[in-house]
């Protein structure tokens, strides 16, 4: 079974989920616009963090599919479940935008963290399934690259789980951590990317 | 006529319809967030069931197109009608999310069931048209696979029709059946997928 | 310049515009659901007519691009303008859904007709530009097919213009005409398609 | 790393952002429809300007990718950041639609201008990164075309920055400038396109 349609479907879900994030950026009508544009700053931050997070996950999905030679039906089903979590991200992003500066910040930060932890778990599941016994890996893939990818994805669920638990004590700190994780992954991708480009 | 643009258009509709489902997951603003996130549990369930259902139909469309060598205009028109039903699914999903726990559950469950029954009917129509006299099937397709696909798609409309009729007696049981049907298809896809991967 | 990215962009716009149509199908909350689902029947009709219309235009765009060997920048710009009208269609569809059974039916039917007339004009412009002196047509294209496509697209703007003018007298009749035009194009595509398949 | 999935992802974001613009075109319900359709004229203008602007940027992204032979991870990350600004455009477009005829016009015009200036800056960053030492440029690319592209993108940020500063004095003039810039780019693309086609 060719992998191109899975890539098209996945690229579509990533692109739409990322673009729908903008619907969470909205001002209250009937209020003076200037102060409103300042008041809704958490929605800009949440937009940026979620868009970049989706972008980094998309790049990593790109890397995984690059190592994969073909897909089977269980791999497709795992990807559908994974993409269901990806397409869910606009909802907790909306919660962060609306509630992180209110008394309901804890529920919002927990909702965001649980979703992102689940995303990282699902991503690892997809990779483990593809790489187990090199089931779906293309023959000419470099074993070092394959085992390197496996190692680099392991910490994701733990990092997001820790940031989620922090929300129980300080939702605001937890939100900052979500931003720092996204920033870390962007920098790590960029530096790694520069190494590859040499 | 090449089949690649139909695949691109179909993948787009599937991906967008699935991603728009998240717009049905929403909390009432001005209420405490924690209890709200619990109260809207039907919208999580409806999101998961519809996303996975769309994903499974997408995988099956994938399989059909894999057996097809080319498309003609009637096949394109049938696909447009099929995709019109696919893109309709977010609406009855919204009805289930909002009304399954209210006195209007019956209308919501009927709306969902009718849409899904129609989807299954249209899917069979597409396959029958392509496979009739091997009209659009590629020459090297295995006759056993072709007739096997035909048989495996036959029960879909009946299963969804039965679950829809159940809604007349118990909308809640009907909703559970929609979930079980999705779960069944996921498991069947996965097991079948594992067999293929061997 | 390759034509594949224009096809991808156009397929995306068509698929998203068609899928967004479902946002126009909505019930008023706080009303009994059964009667509401009956009351909003114009939104089902408008959804079906616009989805099928977009689908038929997409198939025809498919046919045009199949005759085209390459694209130039003016062709890209014309396509962007054409796609701006395509992506506008959900708005007049919403007007038809909400207002065709009210005293504001005339403005709604006029809005729909003007948009569809403009779509047909733009479609002809794209084809004329590509076919003029066979500017962008691939060398092995059958001259009969090329001139046949040109002739078959000529009536579109006139048909939609007439249906739009009818709205000044009877918006409801005009809406029926929009539906009949879509049905006519579906049947014509199907019959033509069957001929090709033989 | 192949460039095709970046193109698919970018085409998706451009197409979805452009199509979501239509959600900003809306009438107030419960008002006579005819006058409403006239009153919301700024939303038509904003829709047209932003759609065409997105279309022109998409064409230019198309041209850049046509010169690029491969991508590295930093290029992917830069594109994700660029696309985050692209997907943001529906929000300031909405502000222009709703506020340009009100006392809040200045904040709306500034928001639009800042977003478009940022878009132009990011676009230049992407091109500089790809073209620097011909890092990602394909070997057979014409050096004149490569340096010509670089020069033609330089004025973008400055032009948008000037139009943004004008908003401090006259938001309406600034909005007219945004429209003229889009018109200029369309004409420039078309004329250039005709030259290429010869």
């Amino acid at each position: 079974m060719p992998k191109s349609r899975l890539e098209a479907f996945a690229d579509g879900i990533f692109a739409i989920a990322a673009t729908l994030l903008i619907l969470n950026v909205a001002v209250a009508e009937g209020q003076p616009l200037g102060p409103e544009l300042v008041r809704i700053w958490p929605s800009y931050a949440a937009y940026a963090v979620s868009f970049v997070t989706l972008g980094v996950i998309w790049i990593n999905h790109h890397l995984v599919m690059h190592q994969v030679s073909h897909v089977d039906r269980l791999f497709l089903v795992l990807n559908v479940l994974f993409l269901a979590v990806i397409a869910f991200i606009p909802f907790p992003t909306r919660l962060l935008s609306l509630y992180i500066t209110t008394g309901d910040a804890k529920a919002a930060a927990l909702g965001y963290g649980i979703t992102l932890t689940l995303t990282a778990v699902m991503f690892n599941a997809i990779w483990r399934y593809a790489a187990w016994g090199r089931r779906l890996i293309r023959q000419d893939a470099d074993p070092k690259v394959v085992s390197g990818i496996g190692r680099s994805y392991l910490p994701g669920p733990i990092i997001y789980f820790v940031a989620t638990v922090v929300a129980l004590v300080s939702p605001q700190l937890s939100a900052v951590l979500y931003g720092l994780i996204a920033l870390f992954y962007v920098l790590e991708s960029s530096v790694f990317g520069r190494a590859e480009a040499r």
Side-chain angles (χ1 to χ4, degrees), chain A:
Chain A
M1 218 178 286
K3 65 181 186 176
S4 59
R5 278 194 77 185
L6 173 58
E7 291 179 341
F9 186 65
D11 288 349
I13 297 272
F14 275 107
I16 303 153
T19 318
L20 284 183
L21 291 171
I22 198 61
L23 301 184
N24 295 328
V25 180
V27 292
E29 289 177 40
Q31 304 288 328
L33 183 57
E36 269 297 293
L37 289 175
V38 174
R39 187 187 64 80
I40 63 166
W41 69 265
S43 68
Y44 307 140
Y47 172 83
V49 169
S50 284
F51 197 102
V52 166
T53 301
L54 280 169
V56 168
I57 303 172
W58 169 75
I59 292 176
N60 284 320
H61 194 260
H62 189 140
L63 289 173
V64 164
M65 293 305 293
H66 193 56
Q67 302 299 325
V68 160
S69 63
H70 63 290
V71 301
D72 61 26
R73 284 184 70 156
L74 184 50
F75 190 71
L76 288 179
V77 167
L78 286 174
N79 269 278
V80 166
L81 296 176
F82 167 65
L83 292 169
V85 185
I86 290 293
F88 197 79
I89 288 175
F91 174 63
T93 304
R94 181 177 183 81
L95 297 182
L96 267 195
S97 304
L98 291 174
Y99 294 100
I100 194 68
T101 54
T102 74
D104 282 317
K106 187 178 289 183
L110 282 175
Y112 193 85
I114 291 168
T115 305
L116 269 290
T117 305
L118 204 56
T119 308
V121 168
M122 286 301 304
F123 194 92
N124 272 275
I126 284 176
W127 174 249
R128 296 293 148 199
Y129 178 75
W132 191 268
R134 295 178 69 92
R135 195 186 331 237
L136 306 174
I137 306 296
R138 55 192 171 81
Q139 294 208 321
D140 59 340
D142 184 341
K144 271 188 232 157
V145 171
V146 171
S147 64
I149 289 179
R151 271 196 306 278
S152 74
Y153 291 160
L154 267 185
I158 299 154
I159 293 173
Y160 274 115
F161 180 72
V162 169
T164 307
V165 170
V166 166
L168 293 170
V169 184
S170 166
Q172 287 76 20
L173 176 58
S174 165
V176 170
L177 286 177
Y178 299 140
L180 289 177
I181 296 171
L183 186 65
F184 165 75
Y185 276 123
V186 164
L187 292 177
E188 190 234 14
S189 292
S190 312
V191 172
F192 185 28
R194 277 205 335 229
E196 264 178 78
R198 263 183 223 128

